[in-house]
Amino acid sequence: MCSPTTTPENNNDHLVQSSDPNHPANLIPALCAKFWTLGWVTGTGGGASIRSDDLVYLAPSGVQKELMKPDDIYVLSLAAQAQSLDKRQRVYLRSPANYKPSQCTPLFLAAFTKRNAGCCIHTHSHWAVLVTLILETQGAGKDKEFMINNIEQIKGFGKGFGKSGNLGYHDTLKIPVIENTAHEEDLTEFLEEAMDKYPDTYAVLVRRHGVYVWGENVHKAKTMCESLDYLFQLAVEMKKLGLPWVTDIEPTVPTRK
């Protein structure tokens, strides 16, 4: 259940008003417009959220993502949310007039509270969906994680929460897969379980649905989301050609010092 706590007389509109293009209220619409061109947020699906210290900025539900404006953004306080006795009751500092809160909100909050993320992106990329369907055909026990290695784009991923540096070319990227639910916010406990089981992951796939990707800041979250979509598309094409996603190849070592 989600109900705004603001009124028209005290809606804190100043929280979404800024001339700075990097302000979260400006950046979320700009990012979602780009994501729409990639087919990631088609038909109002998907979204993005940015954390700035205690404040969390969120895209609303039901908005055409390529047409979203700063005035459409919700804002909530992590501290106020933490004090709420009912975690399904969101405490919004600022609410738009014409939209409803996104059901993605508790999943975004999980990335902020459990991983100290600065940005979380949710896409309905058809490459992400196809990868989960391919994994589904592998049978029980083999359908719960996506793995790929020995691909250059893997370098776009960090080694894990609290770790410095990025994965290397020969490293194996592992992304957990959770099952979809009829209502999006019901995914929260399963996403949190996957985060606990895979402490180094920056993403969770949702079968037949899409993917959640987060990062320390907007730049890192966007980089990993783009890299992951590249890898998903590559994996689908590799599957068509009968090529394995995980291989055992010898590193090439330079002979000249």
Side-chain angles (χ1 to χ4, degrees):
M1 180 172 62
C2 307
S3 61
T5 60
T6 55
T7 65
E9 295 78 19
N10 184 28
N11 200 31
N12 292 319
D13 287 339
H14 69 280
L15 293 174
V16 297
Q17 296 169 348
S18 174
S19 60
D20 181 1
N22 291 316
H23 186 280
N26 295 325
L27 201 50
I28 288 175
L31 288 171
C32 284
K34 290 182 173 64
F35 296 160
W36 181 81
T37 67
L38 299 173
W40 289 2
V41 292
T42 303
T44 79
S49 181
I50 296 173
R51 179 179 64 85
S52 178
D53 297 322
D54 178 59
L55 298 182
V56 173
Y57 296 77
L58 304 123
S61 175
V63 67
Q64 297 285 338
K65 295 302 189 294
E66 76 279 18
L67 303 177
M68 189 172 18
K69 300 176 178 64
D71 283 348
D72 299 329
I73 300 298
Y74 278 91
V75 184
L76 63 72
S77 161
L78 282 177
Q81 187 62 41
Q83 294 171 6
S84 175
L85 297 178
D86 182 356
K87 299 306 178 185
R88 296 174 74 91
Q89 180 79 22
R90 249 64 79 190
V91 183
Y92 293 102
L93 300 180
R94 195 270 169 183
S95 304
N98 300 316
Y99 293 105
K100 296 186 299 183
S102 172
Q103 284 209 354
C104 300
T105 299
L107 293 104
F108 291 146
L109 294 180
F112 299 142
T113 58
K114 292 179 72 67
R115 289 293 182 272
N116 198 32
C119 176
C120 187
I121 299 166
H122 173 43
T123 86
H124 286 188
S125 162
H126 65 282
W127 299 116
V129 174
L130 282 170
V131 161
T132 68
L133 292 174
I134 291 171
L135 287 169
E136 191 175 66
T137 67
Q138 307 304 303
K142 300 180 180 179
D143 62 343
K144 296 299 185 183
E145 63 181 15
F146 168 74
M147 295 194 299
I148 193 167
N149 67 358
N150 296 315
I151 299 294
E152 183 70 9
Q153 199 67 34
I154 290 171
K155 293 179 179 179
F157 288 84
K159 290 184 177 180
F161 177 56
K163 298 180 179 179
S164 61
N166 282 26
L167 295 178
Y169 166 64
H170 292 294
D171 289 328
T172 298
L173 176 68
K174 297 181 180 180
I175 306 295
V177 181
I178 62 176
E179 301 303 324
N180 198 24
T181 56
H183 302 287
E184 185 129 15
E185 70 176 274
D186 291 339
L187 288 168
T188 308
E189 66 175 281
F190 305 108
L191 180 131
E192 291 179 338
E193 288 173 1
M195 294 170 80
D196 291 339
K197 186 175 180 180
Y198 293 80
D200 290 334
T201 193
Y202 285 97
V204 173
L205 278 159
V206 183
R207 198 178 320 278
R208 298 173 175 264
H209 182 149
V211 66
Y212 282 84
V213 186
W214 57 86
E216 180 182 343
N217 51 46
V218 173
H219 173 80
K220 291 183 178 181
K222 180 174 177 288
T223 297
M224 288 190 282
C225 198
E226 291 172 345
S227 297
L228 198 53
D229 205 61
Y230 170 96
L231 291 169
F232 289 156
Q233 181 175 2
L234 186 67
V236 171
E237 298 298 331
M238 290 171 71
K239 185 66 175 179
K240 290 180 184 177
L241 298 171
L243 300 173
W245 295 344
V246 177
T247 56
D248 185 12
I249 62 176
E250 289 293 325
T252 300
V253 180
T255 55
R256 287 182 292 179
K257 300 294 185 181

